Amino acid sequence: PYSIIEFSRSESEDGDEAKLHRPCSLLKIKMKTGRFHQIRVQLSSMGFPILGDIKYGAPFLLSDKSIALCATSLSFKNAIKANMEKISIPIPVEWEKYVDF
């Protein structure tokens, strides 16, 4: 239940066309800045809207009306102990039907 995105490119007018079908990709993104909707806007502007994100160009909603975007880890400096802490969660199992991971 996902759309097929077709990319094609020809290096020259007489070159052979090359096509690639990519239903969904799992991305790991490391943020440098924290602008509101930054990931959603930037991926959409490159032609890769986030699964379920119809506001930014996805072709359909997910069944629970969420978008396939979540933080799987968060690192921060502990204010009391001054050491780095890391909290992690697994990728949601509901996404298995869209991406192999």
Side-chain angles (χ1 to χ4, degrees):
Y2 47 76
S3 63
I4 300 293
I5 301 168
E6 185 173 292
F7 302 92
S8 63
R9 179 179 178 139
S10 191
E11 292 298 321
S12 64
E13 287 186 26
D14 60 340
D16 292 333
E17 186 175 51
K19 293 184 178 182
L20 172 66
H21 294 277
R22 300 185 67 187
C24 295
S25 296
L26 183 62
L27 303 176
K28 181 177 184 176
I29 299 170
K30 186 173 182 178
M31 301 292 296
K32 285 190 174 186
T33 61
R35 307 294 249 174
F36 196 63
H37 292 219
Q38 177 179 347
I39 298 170
R40 297 169 72 187
V41 170
Q42 289 179 344
L43 287 174
S44 178
S45 71
M46 292 185 287
F48 304 106
I50 295 169
L51 191 64
D53 193 1
I54 61 170
K55 180 176 182 173
Y56 289 100
F60 61 90
L61 283 169
L62 295 180
S63 60
D64 64 357
K65 299 186 173 116
S66 68
I67 65 172
L69 177 67
C70 77
T72 56
S73 70
L74 176 66
S75 298
F76 57 93
K77 187 174 181 179
N78 185 308
I80 297 170
K81 298 178 183 177
N83 64 315
M84 290 300 291
E85 300 279 349
K86 183 174 182 178
I87 300 171
S88 299
I89 63 167
I91 296 168
V93 291
E94 296 82 17
W95 296 359
E96 288 180 5
K97 61 185 163 190
Y98 303 108
V99 179
D100 292 327
F101 54 90

